[in-house]
């Protein structure tokens, strides 16, 4: 069989290339069109809330006075989640990829992947029914011993349903995402780089610090930003765990709220201008998420030249 006939039998050739190129171009344009459509819908539906009289918006002080405490609550919960989840996820990923025996590594990887498949409402129910009650004594201890810090100022919530509890639940939720992506990146580190470091007398940790972490830096940033996107947009878990209220600097008092939970809790009963207000809040969350992704892309582009990925 000639090369030409073999190529035709496999369905390849100029015609196949053109079809594939057109299909990928259409898919890319479709994504951009959907993104533009969502943004346009949010902007149009948000206009009534943005131009409405301040006394008609919840709180009576205008939309921006209404939204900024919720934005801060959203960022606080997401930052707490990343601060807790990121070092744990990187440590677990390194253990699976470079320390654990092959059988144990496969089992742990499977368990981590299963954690990512658990619905968010299950995490929320666990946080509300178990974690909040069990962690409440720790909040009392923090208020009694570290209450001089604004973030631990008492009195602590008696129910344990605070922004810190919500952040811990979000950390558990984003942990499998960061771990799985980081593990795959670490496994792609060139073996010659690792063997060269070990041959020069480096210890296991020194080898990881010199080869694995620099190689995987852009991937780690991508994984963290993907987890941040999940934390920013999470709805049901936060709605179940957090006792919403006014913005407060203390992480162990009742109060604070996130944009996604605010929309989920109020949208079913909203009407008229309230709907526009909630959609405008969704627009703010959309802009925040888009900004986070753009910053992540800039960071990755800046550091990729210094990694082993190239």
């Amino acid at each position: 069989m000639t090369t030409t006939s073999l190529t035709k039998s496999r369905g390849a050739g100029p015609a196949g290339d053109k079809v594939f190129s057109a299909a990928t171009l259409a898919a890319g344009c479709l994504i951009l069109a959907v993104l533009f459509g969502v943004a346009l819908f949010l902007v149009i539906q948000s206009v009534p809330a943005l131009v409405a009289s301040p006394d008609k918006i919840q709180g009576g002080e205008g939309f921006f006075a209404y939204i900024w405490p919720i934005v801060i609550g959203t960022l606080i919960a997401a930052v707490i989640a990343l601060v807790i989840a990121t070092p744990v996820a990187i440590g677990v990923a390194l253990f699976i990829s470079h320390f654990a025996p092959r059988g144990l590594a496969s089992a742990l990887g499977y368990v981590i992947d299963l954690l990512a498949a658990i619905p968010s409402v299950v995490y929320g129910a666990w946080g509300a029914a178990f974690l909040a009650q069990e962690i409440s004594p720790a909040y009392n201890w923090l208020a009694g011993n570290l209450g001089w810090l604004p973030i631990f100022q008492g009195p602590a919530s008696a129910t344990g349903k605070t922004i810190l509890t919500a952040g811990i639940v979000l950390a558990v939720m984003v942990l499998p995402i960061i771990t799985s992506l980081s593990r795959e990146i670490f496994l792609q580190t060139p073996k010659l780089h690792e063997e060269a470091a070990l041959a020069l007398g480096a210890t296991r940790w020194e080898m990881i610090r010199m080869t694995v972490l620099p190689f995987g830096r852009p991937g780690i940033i991508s994984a963290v930003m993907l987890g941040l996107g999940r934390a920013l947009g999470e709805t049901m878990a936060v709605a179940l765990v957090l006792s919403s209220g006014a913005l407060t600097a203390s992480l162990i008092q009742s109060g604070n709220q996130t944009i996604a939970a605010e929309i989920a809790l109020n949208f079913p009963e909203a009407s008229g201008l309230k709907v526009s207000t909630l959609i405008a809040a969704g627009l703010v969350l959309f802009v925040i998420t888009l900004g986070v992704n753009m910053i992540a892309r800039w960071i990755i582009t800046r550091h990729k030249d210094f990694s082993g990925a190239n």
Side-chain angles (χ1 to χ4, degrees):
M1 182 179 292
T2 64
T3 303
T4 303
S5 60
L6 181 61
T7 301
K8 290 181 179 179
S9 65
R10 292 180 178 176
D17 291 342
K18 291 180 180 179
V19 172
F20 180 75
S21 177
T24 54
L25 178 61
C29 293
L30 178 62
I31 292 175
L32 292 177
V34 171
L35 183 62
F36 177 78
V38 171
L40 184 62
F41 168 81
L42 292 175
V43 170
I44 294 175
Q45 296 295 322
S46 301
V47 169
L50 298 177
V51 300
S53 176
D55 58 342
K56 295 182 179 180
I57 303 297
Q58 180 177 334
E61 297 182 1
F63 174 75
F64 293 101
Y66 160 76
I67 195 63
W68 78 265
I70 309 177
V71 171
I72 294 177
T74 302
L75 297 178
I76 290 174
V79 169
I80 292 173
L82 290 187
V83 169
I84 297 174
T86 299
V88 176
I90 294 176
V92 173
L94 285 173
F95 177 75
I96 294 175
S97 61
H98 286 83
F99 290 94
R102 179 171 299 181
L104 179 59
S106 300
L108 285 177
Y110 180 71
V111 171
I112 293 296
D113 293 338
L114 281 180
L115 288 176
I118 298 177
S120 60
V121 67
V122 176
Y123 284 109
W126 167 75
F130 175 78
L131 180 62
Q133 297 179 7
E134 295 298 323
I135 206 171
S136 183
Y139 290 165
N140 292 326
W141 184 89
L142 289 173
N145 294 273
L146 298 176
W148 52 274
L149 292 173
I151 60 174
F152 297 132
Q153 186 177 4
S157 171
T159 62
K161 294 184 176 182
T162 66
I163 193 69
L164 181 56
T165 305
I168 295 174
V169 173
L170 289 176
V172 176
M173 295 179 65
V174 303
L175 180 65
I177 298 175
I178 302 176
T179 301
S180 298
L181 294 177
S182 299
R183 177 192 64 199
E184 296 301 323
I185 294 296
F186 294 156
L187 289 174
Q188 295 177 15
T189 305
K191 294 299 179 183
L192 290 178
H193 293 186
E194 298 180 4
E195 293 172 358
L198 294 173
L200 292 174
T203 63
R204 181 74 64 87
W205 166 243
E206 290 173 339
M207 179 272 293
I208 290 174
R209 190 179 62 188
M210 291 187 298
T211 61
V212 178
L213 294 179
F215 176 87
R217 185 183 302 159
I220 294 173
I221 296 173
S222 299
V224 171
M225 291 303 173
L226 185 61
L228 176 59
R230 173 74 185 275
L232 287 173
E234 181 51 47
T235 303
M236 289 309 301
V238 178
L240 290 173
V241 171
L242 181 61
S243 293
S244 61
L247 178 67
T248 175
S250 177
L251 304 180
I252 59 176
Q253 293 182 9
S254 297
N256 297 307
Q257 181 63 297
T258 66
I259 296 177
E262 175 78 6
I263 296 173
L265 293 174
N266 293 282
F267 200 87
E269 300 177 355
S271 61
L273 186 60
K274 181 63 176 178
V275 174
S276 297
T277 303
L278 295 176
I279 294 178
L283 176 63
V284 173
L285 182 60
F286 178 85
V287 172
I288 293 174
T289 306
L290 184 62
V292 167
N293 289 332
M294 293 177 64
I295 293 173
R297 178 55 54 189
W298 175 77
I299 294 174
I300 293 170
T301 303
R302 182 180 179 184
H303 287 89
K304 69 179 181 180
D305 294 335
F306 303 96
S307 70
N310 295 326

